[in-house]
Amino acid sequence: NRGLLSCFVTISLSFEILVFYSYKVDGFRDKHVFITGCDSGFGNLLAKQLDGKGFQVIAACLTEKGAADLTAATSPRLKTLLLNVTDSESIRKAPPTLSCFPAAGLWGLVNNAGRSIPIGPTDWMEMEDFTKVLDVNLIGLIDVTLQFIPLLKKARGRVVNVASILGRLNLVGGGYCPSKWGVEAFSDSLRKDMSHFGVKVSIIEPGFFKTAVTSVDLINADMRRLWTRLPQHVKNAYGNTYLEDLQDFSMRMLCSADLSQVTRCMEHALTARFPRTRYGAGWDAKLFWIPLSYLPSFVADFVVKTLLPCPEEAKNNRKAS
Ligand SMILES: *[C@@H]1O[C@H](CO)[C@@H](O)[C@H](O)[C@H]1NC(C)=O
């Protein structure tokens, strides 16, 4: 019976694929993982999660408070250090001061630190608004990675870079999307170059999650700052309800509070014998944003434009024509 046979083949093939992806590396207790941005959000949760699994976690935090809170919540195995990824000096000091690194090198580097603001239309921005974000999300990530490559090669380890669905689709203006596209591009080069040395590179593409990066209060307060400094003719072109509409939009964005959907992907990338190249994390990413990103740009543009408010001038032009 053909139907039964093909059914059987399909089931056993999917089962094999499942088994293939679920093979784990062993010896977590001898493996060191360095994570940036552990003050809150994904980095914080991942540090706790890997600590619980027995990994030797080195958690880089931006603030003293972040480091102290994490230390209090984890085992004595976990080490914290203060790291500002935009400060080359502090990155350069990181590998040598980690005397805890064994001769085996570094198993995992998780480049998680990131920021989102300033966010807003491109013509609200000044150059500095772009560089503030690019310095953390892209230049900082490259800088940290370069410092750790020798240790990663030694361990034939893993790099896990946090990009975003906004590294495939441009939903907002400002430095965030270019920085995440940059993370995708840098990770693709790194994956090819490191494959010769047994170092594997994975990219995480989260959808919308409740973290400091998506904090409505921070984003909306900063949008107001951008708006306030605009020249009057630009404000007129956008119309006096535009800022509110845009702030409403960021309030309406549904953000999942279940950050473990992202940290599970990170953990898979660090522990699976065969990690994936890309992990779409969250249902919105898997079912909506990532499929949308494969469609022609005019389709994606159309969808994104229907979600965002429209400037007054564009509405008037439409009426006039
Ligand atoms: C991080 O370093 C940059 C300079 O490299 C500095 O402007 C910024 O204020 C620092 N951030 C924090 C939170 O210390």
Side-chain angles (χ1 to χ4, degrees):
N1 187 322
R2 267 255 183 85
L4 210 65
L5 183 68
S6 65
C7 187
F8 176 75
V9 168
T10 313
I11 290 176
S12 57
L13 261 180
S14 352
F15 185 69
E16 259 160 49
I17 291 172
L18 224 80
V19 169
F20 177 78
Y21 280 120
S22 62
Y23 272 131
K24 295 284 178 208
V25 297
D26 41 31
F28 292 176
R29 284 185 181 272
D30 304 320
K31 287 181 161 53
H32 288 70
V33 179
F34 187 95
I35 312 168
T36 66
C38 291
D39 302 74
S40 65
F42 306 138
N44 187 274
L45 182 61
L46 182 69
K48 291 174 183 162
Q49 193 173 313
L50 296 182
D51 180 55
K53 300 253 152 155
F55 276 99
Q56 309 280 339
V57 177
I58 303 118
C61 297
L62 183 60
T63 63
E64 305 252 2
K65 182 177 184 311
D69 291 351
L70 187 57
T71 303
T74 50
S75 82
R77 243 192 341 268
L78 182 139
K79 309 263 186 307
T80 58
L81 85 170
L82 289 184
L83 178 73
N84 178 342
V85 299
T86 66
D87 176 2
S88 259
E89 195 55 26
S90 92
I91 295 172
R92 236 132 241 105
K93 277 188 293 196
T97 52
L98 297 172
S99 52
C100 52
F101 278 133
L106 180 63
W107 170 256
L109 167 63
V110 182
N111 281 308
N112 162 76
R115 64 175 286 167
S116 58
I117 54 172
I119 279 177
T122 306
D123 53 348
W124 294 16
M125 300 283 161
E126 287 171 8
M127 194 54 212
E128 193 196 49
D129 298 314
F130 282 89
T131 53
K132 264 192 249 177
V133 181
L134 286 161
D135 278 349
V136 176
N137 294 6
L138 182 58
I139 306 300
L141 178 145
I142 295 173
D143 206 357
V144 171
T145 306
L146 294 182
Q147 284 310 304
F148 282 112
I149 279 180
L151 285 164
L152 287 159
K153 280 160 100 175
K154 207 180 216 177
R156 298 176 75 79
R158 306 280 168 87
V159 180
V160 180
N161 287 338
V162 180
S164 167
I165 49 114
L166 298 179
R168 311 172 59 113
L169 267 177
N170 283 21
L171 207 54
V172 291
Y176 193 76
C177 292
S179 75
K180 294 300 186 182
W181 283 78
V183 170
E184 299 265 354
F186 172 71
S187 307
D188 280 343
S189 307
L190 187 70
R191 184 180 64 252
K192 277 175 276 178
D193 296 341
M194 289 300 109
S195 65
H196 305 295
F197 306 101
V199 176
K200 296 192 164 78
V201 179
S202 296
I203 303 167
I204 312 287
E205 299 172 337
F208 288 89
F209 285 89
K210 277 203 182 72
T211 67
V213 160
T214 57
S215 156
V216 173
D217 292 343
L218 292 181
I219 291 174
N220 284 357
D222 193 70
M223 272 180 193
R224 176 159 294 285
R225 176 187 70 88
L226 298 175
W227 174 261
T228 311
R229 75 177 183 195
L230 287 178
Q232 194 56 46
H233 69 274
V234 180
K235 284 184 185 166
N236 292 344
Y238 276 91
N240 45 26
T241 63
Y242 188 86
L243 174 66
E244 262 171 55
D245 295 344
L246 197 58
Q247 291 179 329
D248 266 357
F249 166 75
S250 60
M251 247 166 333
R252 275 186 286 111
M253 279 312 298
L254 290 178
C255 290
S256 166
D258 179 14
L259 307 191
S260 71
Q261 290 184 54
V262 175
T263 57
R264 267 202 304 275
C265 296
M266 294 163 153
E267 186 183 318
H268 188 271
L270 291 165
T271 59
R273 194 84 69 79
F274 306 102
R276 291 173 206 191
T277 300
R278 284 184 161 74
Y279 294 83
W283 292 111
D284 60 335
K286 282 193 227 289
L287 297 180
F288 187 65
W289 301 116
I290 292 176
L292 184 61
S293 75
Y294 283 111
L295 296 178
S297 297
F298 78 89
V299 180
D301 284 359
F302 177 78
V303 172
V304 169
K305 268 169 84 174
T306 59
L307 295 173
L308 289 164
C310 181
E312 197 61 37
E313 197 170 284
K315 283 186 210 159
N316 294 339
N317 287 346
R318 223 180 290 157
K319 266 183 234 146
S321 62

